[in-house]
């Protein structure tokens, strides 16, 4: 699956998702190469596009530098769908705001908001005063590709949901 985004700051961004292999890649002329990979042999036990919420099974690389991804459990509350990442001496959070929206923050300061339209279109709004590096933008798009935007509410989580990508 490929999602193409017209980013207002970074131009054309492509997110490639191969759920079977457990690979999410971000490609853009303006951003460094970036990947999240599910380790070989790790079980697919989560409906997210990357297929796991186990941080021990994930390998994050942005522009040749590695980082850590720590997904929440992804059950019941929106907050449980929060993804934490450590990369280049900073802490990041990708947190659902609603069923169709998530925010991306560095050290508690919002850098971007992502919103998924009913048509599947993805909109990104970068904070006007935030200085965002290309590596940080690539990281944000990796998290979008690996875990999608937004989260179901409590009722849908308890009853079950389809784990829709993006």
């Amino acid at each position: 699956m490929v999602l193409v985004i017209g980013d207002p700051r970074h131009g054309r961004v492509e997110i490639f998702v191969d759920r079977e292999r457990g690979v999410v890649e971000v490609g853009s002329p303006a951003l460094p190469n970036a990947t999240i990979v599910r380790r070989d042999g790790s079980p697919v036990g989560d409906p997210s596009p990357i297929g796991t919420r186990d941080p021990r099974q994930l390998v994050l690389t942005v522009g040749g530098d590695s980082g850590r991804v720590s997904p929440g459990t992804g059950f019941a509350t929106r907050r449980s769908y929060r993804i934490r990442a450590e990369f280049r001496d900073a802490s990041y959070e990708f947190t659902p705001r609603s069923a169709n929206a998530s925010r991306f923050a560095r050290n508690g300061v919002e850098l971007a908001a992502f919103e998924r339209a009913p048509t599947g279109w993805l909109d990104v709004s970068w904070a006007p005063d935030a200085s965002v590096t290309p590596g940080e933008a690539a990281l944000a798009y990796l998290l979008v590709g690996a875990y999608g935007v937004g989260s179901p509410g409590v009722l849908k989580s308890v009853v079950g949901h389809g784990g829709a990508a993006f």
Side-chain angles (χ1 to χ4, degrees), residues 70-162:
S70 300
T73 59
F75 184 76
T77 66
R78 284 211 169 94
R79 179 160 263 199
S80 73
Y81 285 85
R82 175 179 47 208
I83 311 298
R84 291 189 168 121
E86 302 292 325
F87 178 67
R88 293 184 182 159
D89 299 322
S91 296
Y92 299 89
E93 284 190 352
F94 187 65
T95 309
R97 284 187 167 162
S98 70
N100 298 314
S102 293
R103 73 184 279 260
F104 179 67
R106 176 196 332 112
N107 300 327
V109 176
E110 185 170 320
L111 300 178
F114 292 86
E115 187 168 357
R116 181 174 30 90
T119 61
W121 186 255
L122 183 68
D123 184 44
V124 60
S125 301
W126 297 97
D129 297 334
S131 175
V132 179
T133 69
E136 289 172 324
L139 174 61
Y141 281 115
L142 276 177
L143 298 177
V144 166
Y147 292 100
V149 171
S151 73
V154 173
L155 182 60
K156 265 194 172 177
S157 289
V158 172
V159 172
H161 66 92

Side-chain angles (χ1 to χ4, degrees), residues 7-93:
D7 182 296
R9 282 195 188 178
H10 304 99
R12 183 184 172 99
V13 177
E14 296 179 342
I15 303 172
F16 304 92
V17 178
D18 184 334
R19 181 172 166 75
E20 186 176 308
R21 288 184 25 232
V23 177
V24 176
E25 298 175 300
V26 171
S28 170
L31 303 178
N33 292 336
T35 59
I36 293 179
V37 178
R38 190 179 65 236
R39 293 185 190 280
D40 284 342
S42 63
V44 177
D46 185 72
S48 64
I50 195 71
T52 186
R53 297 187 89 73
D54 182 350
R56 298 168 300 177
Q57 301 304 326
L58 297 168
V59 178
L60 166 69
T61 308
V62 178
D65 294 332
S66 60
R68 276 195 336 250
V69 179
S70 300
T73 59
F75 184 76
T77 66
R78 284 211 169 94
R79 179 160 263 199
S80 73
Y81 285 85
R82 175 179 47 208
I83 311 298
R84 291 189 168 121
E86 302 292 325
F87 178 67
R88 293 184 182 159
D89 299 322
S91 296
Y92 299 89
E93 284 190 352

